[in-house]
Coordinates of all heavy atoms in Angstrom, one line a residue:
M30 N -16.8 26.4 7.3 CA -16.8 26.4 5.8 C -15.8 25.3 5.4 O -14.7 25.2 5.8 CB -16.3 27.7 5.3 CG -16.3 27.8 3.8 SD -16.3 29.5 3.2 CE -14.7 29.6 2.6
P31 N -16.3 24.4 4.5 CA -15.4 23.3 4.0 C -14.2 23.8 3.2 O -14.3 24.9 2.6 CB -16.3 22.5 3.1 CG -17.6 23.1 3.2 CD -17.6 24.3 4.0
A32 N -13.1 23.1 3.2 CA -12.0 23.4 2.4 C -12.3 23.3 0.9 O -13.1 22.5 0.5 CB -10.8 22.5 2.8
A33 N -11.6 24.2 0.2 CA -11.7 24.2 -1.3 C -11.1 22.9 -1.8 O -10.0 22.5 -1.4 CB -11.0 25.4 -1.9
R34 N -11.9 22.2 -2.7 CA -11.4 20.9 -3.1 C -11.2 20.9 -4.6 O -11.8 21.7 -5.4 CB -12.5 19.9 -2.8 CG -12.7 19.6 -1.4 CD -13.8 18.6 -1.1 NE -13.9 18.3 0.3 CZ -13.2 17.4 1.0 NH1 -12.4 16.7 0.3 NH2 -13.4 17.2 2.3
S35 N -10.3 20.1 -5.1 CA -10.0 19.9 -6.5 C -11.2 19.3 -7.1 O -11.7 18.3 -6.7 CB -8.8 19.0 -6.7 OG -8.7 18.6 -8.0
P36 N -11.7 19.9 -8.2 CA -12.9 19.3 -8.9 C -12.6 17.9 -9.5 O -13.5 17.1 -9.6 CB -13.3 20.3 -10.0 CG -12.1 21.1 -10.2 CD -11.3 21.1 -8.9
R37 N -11.3 17.7 -9.9 CA -11.0 16.4 -10.5 C -10.8 15.3 -9.5 O -11.4 14.2 -9.7 CB -9.7 16.6 -11.3 CG -9.3 15.3 -12.1 CD -8.0 15.5 -12.8 NE -7.0 15.3 -11.7 CZ -5.8 15.9 -11.7 NH1 -5.4 16.6 -12.7 NH2 -4.9 15.7 -10.7
S38 N -10.1 15.5 -8.4 CA -9.9 14.4 -7.4 C -10.7 14.5 -6.1 O -10.8 13.6 -5.4 CB -8.4 14.4 -7.1 OG -8.0 15.6 -6.4
G39 N -11.2 15.7 -5.8 CA -11.9 15.9 -4.6 C -11.0 16.1 -3.4 O -11.5 16.2 -2.2
V40 N -9.7 16.2 -3.6 CA -8.8 16.4 -2.5 C -8.7 17.9 -2.1 O -8.6 18.7 -3.0 CB -7.4 15.9 -2.9 CG1 -6.3 16.2 -1.8 CG2 -7.4 14.4 -3.2
P41 N -8.7 18.2 -0.9 CA -8.5 19.7 -0.5 C -7.2 20.2 -1.0 O -6.2 19.6 -0.9 CB -8.6 19.7 1.0 CG -9.3 18.4 1.4 CD -8.9 17.4 0.3
H42 N -7.3 21.4 -1.6 CA -6.1 22.0 -2.2 C -4.9 22.2 -1.2 O -3.8 21.9 -1.5 CB -6.4 23.4 -2.8 CG -7.3 23.3 -4.0 ND1 -7.0 22.7 -5.2 CD2 -8.6 23.8 -4.2 CE1 -8.0 22.8 -6.1 NE2 -8.9 23.4 -5.5
R43 N -5.2 22.7 -0.1 CA -4.2 22.9 1.0 C -3.5 21.6 1.4 O -2.3 21.5 1.5 CB -4.7 23.6 2.2 CG -5.0 25.0 1.9 CD -5.5 25.7 3.1 NE -5.8 27.1 2.8 CZ -6.6 27.9 3.6 NH1 -7.0 27.4 4.8 NH2 -6.8 29.1 3.2
A44 N -4.3 20.5 1.5 CA -3.7 19.2 1.9 C -2.8 18.7 0.8 O -1.7 18.2 1.0 CB -4.9 18.2 2.1
E45 N -3.2 18.9 -0.5 CA -2.4 18.4 -1.6 C -1.1 19.2 -1.6 O 0.0 18.6 -1.9 CB -3.2 18.7 -2.9 CG -2.7 17.9 -4.1 CD -3.8 18.1 -5.2 OE1 -4.4 19.1 -5.4 OE2 -3.8 17.1 -6.0
L46 N -1.1 20.5 -1.4 CA 0.1 21.3 -1.4 C 1.0 20.9 -0.2 O 2.2 20.9 -0.4 CB -0.3 22.8 -1.4 CG -0.9 23.3 -2.7 CD1 -1.4 24.8 -2.4 CD2 0.1 23.2 -3.8
A47 N 0.4 20.7 0.9 CA 1.2 20.3 2.1 C 1.9 19.0 1.9 O 3.1 18.9 2.2 CB 0.3 20.3 3.4
V48 N 1.2 18.0 1.4 CA 1.8 16.7 1.2 C 3.0 16.9 0.1 O 4.0 16.3 0.3 CB 0.8 15.7 0.7 CG1 1.5 14.4 0.2 CG2 -0.1 15.3 1.9
G49 N 2.7 17.6 -0.9 CA 3.7 17.8 -1.9 C 4.9 18.5 -1.4 O 6.1 18.2 -1.7
A50 N 4.7 19.5 -0.5 CA 5.8 20.3 0.1 C 6.7 19.4 1.0 O 7.9 19.6 1.1 CB 5.3 21.4 0.9
V51 N 6.1 18.4 1.6 CA 6.9 17.5 2.5 C 7.5 16.3 1.7 O 8.7 16.0 1.9 CB 5.9 16.9 3.6 CG1 6.6 15.8 4.4 CG2 5.5 18.0 4.5
V52 N 6.8 15.7 0.8 CA 7.3 14.6 0.1 C 8.3 14.9 -1.0 O 9.3 14.2 -1.1 CB 6.1 13.8 -0.6 CG1 6.5 12.7 -1.5 CG2 5.2 13.2 0.5
S53 N 8.1 16.0 -1.7 CA 9.1 16.3 -2.8 C 10.5 16.5 -2.3 O 11.4 15.8 -2.9 CB 8.6 17.6 -3.5 OG 7.4 17.4 -4.1
P54 N 10.8 17.2 -1.3 CA 12.2 17.3 -0.8 C 12.7 16.0 -0.3 O 13.9 15.7 -0.5 CB 12.2 18.4 0.3 CG 10.9 19.1 0.2 CD 10.0 18.2 -0.5
L55 N 11.9 15.2 0.4 CA 12.3 13.9 0.9 C 12.7 13.0 -0.3 O 13.7 12.3 -0.2 CB 11.2 13.3 1.8 CG 11.1 13.9 3.2 CD1 9.9 13.3 3.9 CD2 12.3 13.7 4.0
A56 N 11.8 13.0 -1.3 CA 12.1 12.1 -2.4 C 13.3 12.5 -3.2 O 14.1 11.7 -3.7 CB 10.9 12.1 -3.3
A57 N 13.6 13.8 -3.2 CA 14.8 14.3 -3.9 C 16.1 14.1 -3.2 O 17.2 14.1 -3.8 CB 14.6 15.8 -4.2
T58 N 16.0 13.9 -1.8 CA 17.3 13.9 -1.0 C 17.5 12.6 -0.3 O 18.6 12.5 0.3 CB 17.3 15.1 0.0 OG1 16.1 14.9 0.8 CG2 17.2 16.4 -0.7
T59 N 16.6 11.7 -0.3 CA 16.8 10.5 0.5 C 16.6 9.2 -0.4 O 16.1 9.3 -1.5 CB 15.8 10.4 1.7 OG1 14.5 10.3 1.1 CG2 15.9 11.5 2.6
D60 N 17.0 8.1 0.1 CA 16.9 6.8 -0.6 C 15.4 6.3 -0.3 O 15.1 6.0 0.9 CB 17.9 5.8 -0.1 CG 17.8 4.5 -0.8 OD1 17.1 4.4 -1.9 OD2 18.5 3.6 -0.3
V61 N 14.6 6.3 -1.3 CA 13.2 5.9 -1.1 C 12.9 4.4 -1.3 O 11.8 4.0 -1.3 CB 12.3 6.8 -2.0 CG1 12.4 8.2 -1.7 CG2 12.6 6.6 -3.5
R62 N 13.9 3.6 -1.5 CA 13.7 2.2 -1.8 C 13.0 1.5 -0.6 O 12.2 0.7 -0.8 CB 15.0 1.5 -2.1 CG 15.5 1.8 -3.5 CD 16.8 1.1 -3.8 NE 17.9 1.7 -3.0 CZ 19.1 1.4 -3.1 NH1 19.5 0.4 -3.9 NH2 20.0 2.0 -2.4
G63 N 13.4 1.9 0.6 CA 12.7 1.3 1.8 C 11.2 1.7 1.8 O 10.4 0.8 2.2
A64 N 10.9 2.9 1.5 CA 9.5 3.4 1.5 C 8.7 2.6 0.4 O 7.6 2.2 0.6 CB 9.4 4.9 1.3
I65 N 9.4 2.4 -0.7 CA 8.7 1.6 -1.8 C 8.4 0.2 -1.4 O 7.3 -0.3 -1.6 CB 9.6 1.7 -3.1 CG1 9.6 3.1 -3.6 CG2 9.0 0.7 -4.1 CD1 10.6 3.3 -4.7
G66 N 9.4 -0.4 -0.7 CA 9.2 -1.8 -0.2 C 8.1 -1.8 0.8 O 7.2 -2.7 0.8
F67 N 8.1 -0.9 1.7 CA 7.1 -0.8 2.8 C 5.7 -0.6 2.2 O 4.7 -1.2 2.6 CB 7.4 0.3 3.8 CG 6.4 0.3 4.9 CD1 6.4 -0.6 5.9 CD2 5.4 1.3 4.9 CE1 5.5 -0.6 7.0 CE2 4.5 1.4 6.0 CZ 4.6 0.4 7.0
S68 N 5.6 0.3 1.2 CA 4.3 0.5 0.5 C 3.8 -0.7 -0.2 O 2.7 -1.0 -0.2 CB 4.5 1.7 -0.5 OG 3.3 1.8 -1.3
S69 N 4.7 -1.4 -0.9 CA 4.3 -2.7 -1.5 C 3.8 -3.7 -0.5 O 2.8 -4.4 -0.8 CB 5.6 -3.3 -2.3 OG 6.0 -2.4 -3.3
F70 N 4.5 -3.8 0.6 CA 4.0 -4.7 1.6 C 2.6 -4.3 2.1 O 1.8 -5.1 2.4 CB 5.0 -4.7 2.8 CG 4.6 -5.6 3.9 CD1 4.6 -6.9 3.9 CD2 4.1 -5.0 5.1 CE1 4.2 -7.7 4.9 CE2 3.7 -5.8 6.2 CZ 3.7 -7.2 6.1
G71 N 2.4 -3.0 2.3 CA 1.1 -2.5 2.8 C 0.0 -2.8 1.8 O -1.1 -3.2 2.2
V72 N 0.3 -2.7 0.5 CA -0.7 -3.0 -0.5 C -1.1 -4.5 -0.4 O -2.2 -4.9 -0.5 CB -0.2 -2.6 -1.9 CG1 -1.1 -3.2 -3.0 CG2 -0.2 -1.1 -2.0
L73 N 0.0 -5.3 -0.3 CA -0.3 -6.8 -0.2 C -1.0 -7.1 1.1 O -1.9 -8.0 1.1 CB 1.0 -7.5 -0.3 CG 0.9 -9.0 -0.5 CD1 0.0 -9.4 -1.7 CD2 2.2 -9.7 -0.6
A74 N -0.7 -6.5 2.2 CA -1.4 -6.7 3.4 C -2.9 -6.3 3.3 O -3.8 -7.1 3.7 CB -0.8 -5.9 4.6
D75 N -3.2 -5.2 2.6 CA -4.5 -4.8 2.3 C -5.3 -5.9 1.5 O -6.4 -6.2 1.7 CB -4.6 -3.5 1.7 CG -6.0 -3.0 1.4 OD1 -6.8 -3.0 2.3 OD2 -6.2 -2.6 0.2
Y76 N -4.6 -6.3 0.4 CA -5.2 -7.4 -0.4 C -5.5 -8.6 0.4 O -6.5 -9.3 0.2 CB -4.2 -7.7 -1.6 CG -4.6 -9.0 -2.3 CD1 -5.6 -9.0 -3.2 CD2 -3.9 -10.2 -2.1 CE1 -6.0 -10.1 -3.9 CE2 -4.3 -11.3 -2.7 CZ -5.4 -11.3 -3.6 OH -5.8 -12.4 -4.2
T77 N -4.5 -9.0 1.3 CA -4.7 -10.2 2.1 C -6.0 -10.1 2.9 O -6.8 -11.0 2.9 CB -3.5 -10.4 3.0 OG1 -2.4 -10.6 2.2 CG2 -3.7 -11.6 3.9
I78 N -6.2 -9.0 3.5 CA -7.4 -8.8 4.4 C -8.6 -8.8 3.5 O -9.6 -9.5 3.8 CB -7.3 -7.5 5.2 CG1 -6.2 -7.6 6.2 CG2 -8.6 -7.1 5.9 CD1 -5.7 -6.3 6.8
A79 N -8.6 -8.0 2.4 CA -9.8 -7.9 1.6 C -10.1 -9.3 0.9 O -11.3 -9.7 0.9 CB -9.6 -6.9 0.5
S80 N -9.1 -10.0 0.4 CA -9.4 -11.2 -0.3 C -9.7 -12.4 0.6 O -10.6 -13.1 0.4 CB -8.1 -11.5 -1.1 OG -8.3 -12.8 -1.8
A81 N -8.9 -12.5 1.7 CA -9.0 -13.7 2.5 C -10.2 -13.7 3.4 O -10.8 -14.7 3.8 CB -7.8 -13.9 3.4
F82 N -10.7 -12.5 3.8 CA -11.8 -12.4 4.8 C -13.1 -11.8 4.3 O -14.0 -11.7 5.0 CB -11.3 -11.6 6.0 CG -10.0 -12.2 6.6 CD1 -8.8 -11.6 6.5 CD2 -10.1 -13.5 7.2 CE1 -7.7 -12.2 7.0 CE2 -8.9 -14.1 7.7 CZ -7.7 -13.4 7.6
T83 N -13.2 -11.5 3.0 CA -14.4 -11.0 2.5 C -15.1 -11.9 1.4 O -16.3 -12.0 1.4 CB -14.3 -9.6 1.8 OG1 -13.3 -9.6 0.8 CG2 -13.8 -8.6 2.9
L84 N -14.3 -12.5 0.6 CA -14.9 -13.4 -0.4 C -14.9 -14.9 0.1 O -13.8 -15.4 0.5 CB -14.0 -13.4 -1.7 CG -14.2 -12.1 -2.5 CD1 -13.3 -12.2 -3.8 CD2 -15.6 -11.9 -3.0
G85 N -16.0 -15.5 0.0 CA -16.1 -16.9 0.4 C -15.7 -17.8 -0.8 O -15.6 -17.3 -2.0
R86 N -15.5 -19.1 -0.6 CA -15.2 -20.0 -1.7 C -16.3 -20.0 -2.7 O -16.1 -20.1 -3.9 CB -14.9 -21.4 -1.2 CG -13.6 -21.5 -0.4 CD -12.3 -21.3 -1.2 NE -12.3 -22.4 -2.2 CZ -11.8 -22.2 -3.4 NH1 -11.3 -21.0 -3.7 NH2 -11.8 -23.1 -4.3
D87 N -17.5 -19.9 -2.3 CA -18.7 -20.0 -3.2 C -18.8 -18.7 -4.0 O -19.5 -18.6 -5.0 CB -20.0 -20.2 -2.4 CG -20.2 -19.2 -1.3 OD1 -19.2 -18.6 -0.8 OD2 -21.4 -18.9 -1.0
E88 N -18.1 -17.6 -3.6 CA -18.1 -16.3 -4.4 C -16.9 -16.2 -5.3 O -16.6 -15.1 -5.8 CB -18.1 -15.2 -3.4 CG -19.4 -15.2 -2.5 CD -19.3 -14.1 -1.4 OE1 -18.2 -14.0 -0.8 OE2 -20.3 -13.4 -1.2
G89 N -16.1 -17.2 -5.4 CA -14.9 -17.2 -6.3 C -13.6 -16.7 -5.6 O -12.6 -16.5 -6.3
G90 N -13.7 -16.6 -4.3 CA -12.5 -16.2 -3.6 C -11.4 -17.3 -3.5 O -11.8 -18.5 -3.6
P91 N -10.2 -17.0 -3.3 CA -9.1 -18.0 -3.2 C -9.2 -18.7 -1.9 O -9.9 -18.3 -1.0 CB -7.8 -17.2 -3.4 CG -8.2 -15.9 -2.8 CD -9.6 -15.7 -3.2
H92 N -8.5 -19.9 -1.8 CA -8.4 -20.5 -0.5 C -7.7 -19.5 0.4 O -6.9 -18.7 0.0 CB -7.5 -21.7 -0.6 CG -8.1 -22.9 -1.3 ND1 -9.1 -23.7 -0.8 CD2 -7.9 -23.3 -2.6 CE1 -9.4 -24.6 -1.6 NE2 -8.8 -24.4 -2.8
R93 N -8.1 -19.5 1.7 CA -7.6 -18.5 2.6 C -6.1 -18.5 2.7 O -5.4 -17.5 3.0 CB -8.2 -18.6 4.0 CG -9.7 -18.4 4.0 CD -10.2 -18.1 5.4 NE -11.6 -18.1 5.4 CZ -12.4 -17.1 5.1 NH1 -11.9 -16.1 4.5 NH2 -13.7 -17.2 5.2
I94 N -5.4 -19.6 2.5 CA -4.0 -19.7 2.6 C -3.2 -18.9 1.5 O -2.1 -18.4 1.7 CB -3.5 -21.2 2.7 CG1 -2.1 -21.3 3.1 CG2 -3.7 -21.8 1.3 CD1 -1.9 -20.9 4.6
V95 N -3.8 -18.7 0.3 CA -3.1 -18.1 -0.8 C -2.7 -16.7 -0.5 O -1.5 -16.3 -0.6 CB -4.0 -18.2 -2.1 CG1 -3.4 -17.4 -3.2 CG2 -4.2 -19.7 -2.5
P96 N -3.6 -15.8 -0.1 CA -3.2 -14.4 0.2 C -2.3 -14.4 1.4 O -1.4 -13.5 1.5 CB -4.5 -13.6 0.4 CG -5.6 -14.6 0.4 CD -5.1 -15.9 -0.1
V97 N -2.5 -15.3 2.4 CA -1.6 -15.3 3.6 C -0.2 -15.7 3.2 O 0.8 -15.0 3.6 CB -2.2 -16.2 4.6 CG1 -1.2 -16.4 5.8 CG2 -3.5 -15.7 5.2
L98 N 0.0 -16.6 2.3 CA 1.3 -17.0 1.8 C 2.0 -15.8 1.0 O 3.2 -15.6 1.2 CB 1.2 -18.2 0.9 CG 1.0 -19.6 1.6 CD1 0.8 -20.7 0.6 CD2 2.1 -19.9 2.6
G99 N 1.2 -15.1 0.3 CA 1.7 -14.0 -0.4 C 2.2 -12.9 0.5 O 3.2 -12.3 0.3
L100 N 1.4 -12.7 1.6 CA 1.8 -11.7 2.6 C 3.1 -12.1 3.3 O 4.0 -11.3 3.4 CB 0.7 -11.5 3.6 CG 1.0 -10.5 4.7 CD1 1.1 -9.1 4.2 CD2 -0.2 -10.6 5.8
V101 N 3.2 -13.4 3.6 CA 4.4 -13.9 4.3 C 5.6 -13.8 3.4 O 6.7 -13.3 3.8 CB 4.2 -15.3 4.8 CG1 5.6 -16.0 5.2 CG2 3.2 -15.4 5.9
S102 N 5.5 -14.1 2.1 CA 6.5 -14.0 1.1 C 7.0 -12.6 1.0 O 8.2 -12.3 0.9 CB 6.0 -14.6 -0.2 OG 7.0 -14.3 -1.2
S103 N 6.0 -11.6 0.9 CA 6.4 -10.2 0.8 C 7.1 -9.7 2.0 O 8.1 -9.0 1.9 CB 5.1 -9.4 0.5 OG 5.4 -8.0 0.5
A104 N 6.7 -10.2 3.2 CA 7.3 -9.7 4.4 C 8.8 -10.2 4.4 O 9.7 -9.5 4.9 CB 6.6 -10.3 5.6
R105 N 9.0 -11.4 4.0 CA 10.4 -11.9 3.9 C 11.2 -11.2 2.9 O 12.4 -10.9 3.2 CB 10.4 -13.4 3.6 CG 9.8 -14.3 4.7 CD 10.0 -15.7 4.4 NE 11.4 -16.0 4.4 CZ 11.9 -17.1 3.8 NH1 11.2 -18.0 3.3 NH2 13.2 -17.2 3.8
R106 N 10.7 -10.8 1.8 CA 11.5 -10.1 0.8 C 11.7 -8.6 1.2 O 12.8 -8.1 1.0 CB 10.7 -10.1 -0.5 CG 10.7 -11.4 -1.2 CD 9.9 -11.3 -2.5 NE 9.8 -12.6 -3.1 CZ 10.3 -13.0 -4.2 NH1 11.0 -12.1 -4.9 NH2 10.2 -14.2 -4.7
T107 N 10.7 -8.0 1.9 CA 10.9 -6.6 2.4 C 12.0 -6.6 3.4 O 12.7 -5.6 3.5 CB 9.6 -6.1 2.9 OG1 8.6 -6.2 1.9 CG2 9.7 -4.7 3.3
G108 N 12.1 -7.6 4.3 CA 13.1 -7.6 5.3 C 14.5 -7.9 5.0 O 15.4 -7.8 5.7
R109 N 14.7 -8.3 3.7 CA 16.1 -8.7 3.3 C 16.9 -7.4 3.0 O 16.4 -6.5 2.4 CB 16.0 -9.5 2.0 CG 15.5 -10.9 2.2 CD 15.7 -11.7 1.0 NE 15.1 -13.0 1.2 CZ 14.7 -13.8 0.2 NH1 14.9 -13.4 -1.1 NH2 14.2 -15.0 0.4
P110 N 18.2 -7.5 3.4 CA 19.1 -6.3 3.0 C 19.4 -6.3 1.5 O 19.4 -7.3 0.9 CB 20.3 -6.6 3.9 CG 20.3 -8.0 4.2 CD 18.8 -8.5 4.2
E111 N 19.7 -5.1 1.0 CA 20.1 -5.0 -0.4 C 21.5 -5.6 -0.6 O 22.3 -5.5 0.3 CB 20.1 -3.5 -0.7 CG 18.8 -2.8 -0.6 CD 17.9 -3.2 -1.8 OE1 18.4 -3.4 -2.9 OE2 16.7 -3.3 -1.5
H112 N 21.7 -6.1 -1.8 CA 23.0 -6.7 -2.1 C 23.8 -5.7 -2.9 O 23.4 -5.0 -3.7 CB 22.9 -8.0 -2.9 CG 22.3 -9.1 -2.1 ND1 22.5 -9.3 -0.8 CD2 21.5 -10.1 -2.5 CE1 21.8 -10.4 -0.4 NE2 21.2 -10.9 -1.4

């Protein structure tokens, strides 16, 4: 039998509660700046793959180097220590 799902988001209720039970205490008790930086880097990496390798120049995509430079720039910023 499939898990009960939220009608709004389609996410299984138990999975939503489990993630909330793990993430909430971590967010309340730890420094999440590293996770935010890593998440930002992950989004940019995803954009790089989607943009650089799916759209051709004839389809309005950027030069392949543009998203790659953005990814490299983000990686350099993510790796810097806080001042």
Side-chain angles (χ1 to χ4, degrees):
M30 181 161 107
R34 295 179 178 270
S35 167
R37 187 184 74 209
S38 65
V40 175
H42 292 296
R43 288 184 183 163
E45 196 170 33
L46 292 172
V48 169
V51 171
V52 171
S53 296
L55 286 173
T58 59
T59 62
D60 184 12
V61 295
R62 287 180 286 184
I65 292 169
F67 182 76
S68 174
S69 298
F70 177 74
V72 168
L73 190 56
D75 181 50
Y76 167 77
T77 299
I78 294 166
S80 176
F82 302 111
T83 58
L84 288 178
R86 292 291 300 144
D87 58 332
E88 298 171 315
H92 290 284
R93 294 199 192 281
I94 192 68
V95 172
V97 172
L98 288 175
L100 181 65
V101 169
S102 172
S103 176
R105 290 190 62 197
R106 290 175 185 248
T107 302
R109 288 187 185 163
E111 296 286 325
H112 292 327

